[in-house]
Amino acid sequence: MEGLFFNVNNGFLEGIVRGYKTGILTQSHYASLTQCESLEDLKTQLSATDYGNFLANEPSPLSTATISDRATQILVDQFNFARSNAVEPLGKFLDYITYAYMIDNVVLLITGTLHERDTHELLGRCHPLGVFDTMPALCVATNVEELYHSVLVETPLAPYFRDCFSAADLDDLNIEIIRNTVYKAYLEDFYNFVGTLGSPTLEVMQNILAFEADRRTINITINSFDTDELTKEQRAKLFPAIGRLFPAGNNALAKADDIDQVRQVCDNISEYRSFFEGSTSVSGANHDVGEMGVATQLEDRFFRMEVHLNKQAFMQQFQYGVFYSYMKLKEQEIRNVTWIAECIAQDARDRIQDFIPIF
């Protein structure tokens, strides 16, 4: 009965997104891509996949930025198709996915306003999934206070900003504190929302969002070791109040002084123990060439765990998690393709295999 009622409203779109998933690049596709001698060769190889002729109208010479932008646009079009055909509560669930991109876009505009840049120019750098109809209204603001009030009126992020900041805070706080504070509020809100959707969406999504919360908590902790601007009390306030580390692990990480203490906390979660094993394995598809260190190693292992969890989401039917997970898997694929393209463009073939395969 559960499946029957789910399929009445959502079966068509779930079938569509599962069809999209079958087009995700496989190991054999990556083997062909890594053999390409030029970006034109890469374009030809990609044309034989579900990407098709997405670069057909692009002038030569191709750039990696163009490849990334056009691949992202395909994903945006797929998402918009699902959103335009969704009924509630799937429509609201898909809206929550876009809020993460909206946060990044609004923070970008706040940064531009603080540095007195032309915010209209920054619109071109905004992620298309985080663009909303009233975004140009934010660009009219000439100072941070006006921008803050515009956010409260014009964006779905209003509750997160209203509950976390005043206009004066946007002037005084480090931009990353603003980003992490808003994202904490968003994650907790999304987590609570999926709790209202019932099983199996609840189990699938709360598992994924709990990991995302833990990832952010660990990253905030490690990044705070390099700065004197963030006290331990401020650090603790940035941790999402969800996740497998919450509350005991969060409390311990709030007091941590070095990476070894972070490792000890993560050892209490079996799936997280491997994150700190070794210190030399680096996968480049998610960072700039040459970037090293523990943070980079962790980033790649986090991405691998994210891929694993989002692949698992497709093992269950009659739930909304597949929509979220497809987006994340496709974003990883775009990072992979962009990395391969960059290695070809820079003739850095010794690093071309440093991506995270999905299937």
Side-chain angles (χ1 to χ4, degrees), residues 138-174:
L138 272 61
C139 296
V140 176
T142 58
N143 56 57
V144 175
E145 184 173 357
E146 289 181 8
L147 180 61
Y148 174 80
H149 291 296
S150 295
V151 169
L152 293 187
V153 173
E154 304 289 355
T155 80
L157 305 179
Y160 309 141
F161 276 84
R162 182 175 57 247
D163 295 343
C164 297
F165 304 112
S166 68
D169 291 331
L170 299 189
D171 267 325
D172 298 335
L173 291 177
N174 178 290

Side-chain angles (χ1 to χ4, degrees), residues 32-69:
S32 298
L33 295 178
T34 55
Q35 296 302 312
C36 293
E37 296 293 330
S38 67
L39 294 186
E40 289 297 328
D41 291 344
L42 188 76
K43 170 182 172 180
T44 301
Q45 288 293 336
L46 286 172
S47 69
T49 70
D50 272 23
Y51 282 102
N53 294 320
F54 77 121
L55 296 171
N57 297 323
E58 298 300 326
S60 296
L62 273 177
S63 70
T64 55
T66 297
I67 294 172
S68 177
D69 289 346

Side-chain angles (χ1 to χ4, degrees), residues 75-288:
L75 179 58
V76 171
D77 292 342
Q78 291 173 341
F79 178 87
N80 287 339
F81 175 82
R83 181 63 188 91
S84 63
N85 287 279
V87 297
E88 300 304 336
L90 176 57
K92 183 65 173 176
F93 179 87
L94 295 177
D95 286 342
Y96 267 101
I97 294 176
T98 66
Y99 293 168
Y101 303 99
M102 287 185 192
I103 290 170
D104 286 338
N105 288 351
V106 171
V107 169
L108 177 64
L109 295 179
I110 291 172
T111 306
T113 303
L114 284 171
H115 293 92
E116 299 182 346
R117 294 182 58 184
D118 183 356
T119 49
H120 289 87
E121 293 181 5
L122 296 177
L123 284 179
R125 293 174 50 193
C126 288
H127 195 290
L129 280 176
V131 172
F132 42 93
D133 291 341
T134 54
M135 180 173 279
L138 272 61
C139 296
V140 176
T142 58
N143 56 57
V144 175
E145 184 173 357
E146 289 181 8
L147 180 61
Y148 174 80
H149 291 296
S150 295
V151 169
L152 293 187
V153 173
E154 304 289 355
T155 80
L157 305 179
Y160 309 141
F161 276 84
R162 182 175 57 247
D163 295 343
C164 297
F165 304 112
S166 68
D169 291 331
L170 299 189
D171 267 325
D172 298 335
L173 291 177
N174 178 290
I175 197 67
E176 286 306 311
I177 293 179
I178 295 171
R179 186 196 308 275
N180 285 312
T181 302
V182 176
Y183 211 95
K184 162 187 158 69
Y186 156 68
L187 267 183
E188 293 170 354
D189 188 31
F190 196 3
Y191 189 90
N192 291 333
F193 171 73
V194 298
T196 69
L197 299 178
S199 299
T201 298
L202 183 151
E203 287 84 0
V204 170
M205 283 305 303
Q206 286 195 340
N207 190 34
I208 290 172
L209 294 176
F211 167 71
E212 177 61 26
D214 289 342
R215 169 164 64 176
R216 297 189 74 85
T217 297
I218 294 168
N219 279 334
I220 289 167
T221 302
I222 293 173
N223 291 337
S224 70
F225 295 155
D226 300 325
T227 177
D228 296 327
E229 298 176 4
L230 194 66
T231 67
K232 290 182 177 180
E233 291 75 18
Q234 290 173 318
R235 181 203 304 175
K237 291 178 181 179
L238 300 179
F239 296 165
I242 57 174
R244 300 185 65 182
L245 292 172
F246 178 79
N250 283 19
N251 292 337
L253 288 174
K255 302 170 185 174
D257 294 309
D258 55 49
I259 198 72
D260 286 333
Q261 293 178 11
V262 177
R263 181 185 290 108
Q264 291 170 12
V265 173
C266 291
D267 278 347
N268 295 320
I269 309 294
S270 59
E271 293 87 348
Y272 298 172
R273 288 173 191 159
S274 63
F275 291 164
F276 294 89
E277 291 176 358
S279 59
T280 58
S281 176
V282 179
S283 297
N286 303 292
H287 52 75
D288 296 332

Side-chain angles (χ1 to χ4, degrees), residues 30-39 42 283-285 289 335-356:
Y30 286 121
S32 298
L33 295 178
T34 55
Q35 296 302 312
C36 293
E37 296 293 330
S38 67
L39 294 186
L42 188 76
S283 297
V289 177
R335 283 192 290 268
N336 290 344
V337 171
T338 304
W339 174 257
I340 292 171
E342 195 65 41
C343 286
I344 292 171
Q346 296 185 19
D347 196 24
R349 295 197 165 272
D350 57 324
R351 303 292 303 281
I352 202 169
Q353 298 290 341
D354 294 346
F355 56 87
I356 298 174

